[in-house]
């Protein structure tokens, strides 16, 4: 597996080895030993999620606070998304910084987003299937949201020529300064 570091050291882009042949392809989408070696410590996933969204849907920016903070290993298995992680760890030198990466069925790329980050994505293809593993279970009482367009974060989302399609929760999200914080 190829590991690509990002501007935020703890956020990693992972490129699994893909075995193509005349039938199609095979890859290990997750291998605990390989993944833990890439991250540098043991990570235990307890939940798999799958969402499907149309072009222009933007889900995020979401996170869970302790005691149920979630690390996420995310990938796109149909279509393509622009995926974003925002560092919400107050003690981090990259607090409030963001990184973005295109994930697509074609590239097989994945992204590791540790606990302490807000996460979101916008769909750039006609439709996208987004699959991810999380290190803690869903705990809505611990959920936090931050505005996707908070100028203090300054995410440069791809210009799709249409306004993003948001859930009511995401429309009502606060800016980072008013959001539920880590530590
Ligand atoms: C996240 C989640 C949701 N749900 C239920 C709650 C709602 O009835 C329904 C849709 O939830 P929501 O609108 O929060 O789904 P997304 O907007 O895709 O939320 C996710 O979007 C961003 C990209 C994330 O990184 C998080 O994993 C997650 O917050 O699924 C569950 O039953 N279990 C879950 O783990």
């Amino acid at each position: 597996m190829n590991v690509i570091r990002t501007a935020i050291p703890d956020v990693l882009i992972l490129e699994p080895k893909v075995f193509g042949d005349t039938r199609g392809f095979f890859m290990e989408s997750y291998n605990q030993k390989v993944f833990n070696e890439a991250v540098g410590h043991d990570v235990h996933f307890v939940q798999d999620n799958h969402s499907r969204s149309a072009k222009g849907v933007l889900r995020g920016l979401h996170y869970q606070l302790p005691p149920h903070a979630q690390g996420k290993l995310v990938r796109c298995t149909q279509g393509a998304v622009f995926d974003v992680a925002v560092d919400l760890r107050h003690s981090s030198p990259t607090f409030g910084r963001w990184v973005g990466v295109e994930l697509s069925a074609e590239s097989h790329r994945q992204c590791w987003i540790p606990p302490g980050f807000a996460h979101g994505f916008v769909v750039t293809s006609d439709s996208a299937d987004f699959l991810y593993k999380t290190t803690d279970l869903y705990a809505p009482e611990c959920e936090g949201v931050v505005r996707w367009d908070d100028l203090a974060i300054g995410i440069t989302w791809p210009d799709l020529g249409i306004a993003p399609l948001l859930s009511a929760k995401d429309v009502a999200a606060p800016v980072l300064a008013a959001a539920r914080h880590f530590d």
Side-chain angles (χ1 to χ4, degrees):
M1 177 168 69
N2 186 34
V3 181
I4 300 170
R5 303 210 169 274
T6 68
I8 298 178
D10 293 325
V11 177
L12 302 174
I13 298 169
L14 307 173
E15 295 178 330
K17 184 168 179 55
V18 180
F19 299 90
D21 62 28
T22 54
R23 299 168 298 170
F25 76 85
F26 174 90
M27 70 175 191
E28 292 181 357
S29 52
Y30 170 69
N31 176 306
Q32 185 180 66
K33 181 176 183 296
V34 172
F35 180 79
N36 288 346
E37 285 172 357
V39 173
H41 59 82
D42 287 356
V43 175
H44 299 283
F45 293 106
V46 296
Q47 184 173 313
D48 279 346
N49 296 331
H50 181 171
S51 67
R52 175 172 296 166
S53 310
K55 184 167 187 172
V57 167
L58 192 154
R59 296 177 185 254
L61 301 163
H62 305 160
Y63 55 99
Q64 288 192 178
L65 291 161
H68 298 292
Q70 289 179 317
K72 298 166 187 169
L73 176 58
V74 303
R75 66 191 178 113
C76 181
T77 59
Q78 185 274 126
V81 304
F82 182 74
D83 198 73
V84 172
V86 181
D87 193 348
L88 298 187
R89 302 167 301 179
H90 267 282
S91 56
S92 166
T94 52
F95 173 76
R97 296 259 315 268
W98 65 276
V99 290
V101 58
E102 180 181 83
L103 304 177
S104 69
E106 186 177 352
S107 72
H108 303 291
R109 272 186 164 187
Q110 304 178 1
C111 191
W112 162 240
I113 301 159
F117 285 75
H119 172 248
F121 65 87
V122 68
V123 177
T124 56
S125 53
D126 288 339
S127 168
D129 281 66
F130 193 80
L131 278 65
Y132 52 114
K133 310 177 83 68
T134 63
T135 60
D136 209 309
L137 298 176
Y138 179 53
E141 72 281 2
C142 293
E143 189 173 55
V145 288
V146 174
R147 285 192 66 82
W148 64 282
D149 59 350
D150 183 349
L151 296 178
I153 303 172
I155 298 167
T156 51
W157 297 96
D159 180 2
L160 301 178
I162 55 173
L165 303 171
L166 304 165
S167 66
K169 175 177 70 178
D170 293 345
V171 168
V175 294
L176 178 58
R180 297 175 72 184
H181 281 188
F182 287 82
D183 58 50

